[in-house]
Amino acid sequence: MVIQATQAPRGYIAAKPALTPTQKPANAGESFQAAATNFAAGLQETEATAKAAMVGKADPHALVMALTQSELAIETASTLRDKVVEAYQEIMRMPV
């Protein structure tokens, strides 16, 4: 097998389109609003699945998946909140 020095850059160039965003991001306000809406909708879906599982109308596997997804969403929101608070505190410590 012959390996050329130009194979690696070609591979990176070929992979780059898969890593770039396909659409232009919205402004920050719309992004945060969409994230909050998706977060709330996910929690409502998990709650509905949990209620259905309590009365025997939902698959236990679906309940576990819903709970795992909601746990991940809550951890992400908590981490994001912590980072925002940390950034705010850092800004407040800056001398004027």
Side-chain angles (χ1 to χ4, degrees), residues 29-93:
E30 291 175 3
S31 295
F32 287 129
Q33 182 179 8
T37 302
N38 291 340
F39 178 74
L43 291 180
Q44 288 175 348
E45 290 174 14
T46 300
E47 185 177 351
T49 304
K51 286 179 182 178
M54 285 183 195
V55 294
K57 294 183 180 180
D59 181 30
H61 180 68
L63 175 63
V64 171
M65 290 296 292
L67 291 174
T68 303
Q69 289 175 351
S70 66
E71 180 182 8
L72 180 62
I74 291 171
E75 286 177 1
T76 302
S78 175
T79 302
L80 181 62
R81 181 208 58 210
D82 293 345
K83 292 290 183 179
V84 168
V85 169
E86 182 181 332
Y88 174 77
Q89 289 174 344
E90 187 67 27
I91 290 171
M92 295 307 290
R93 279 183 258 171

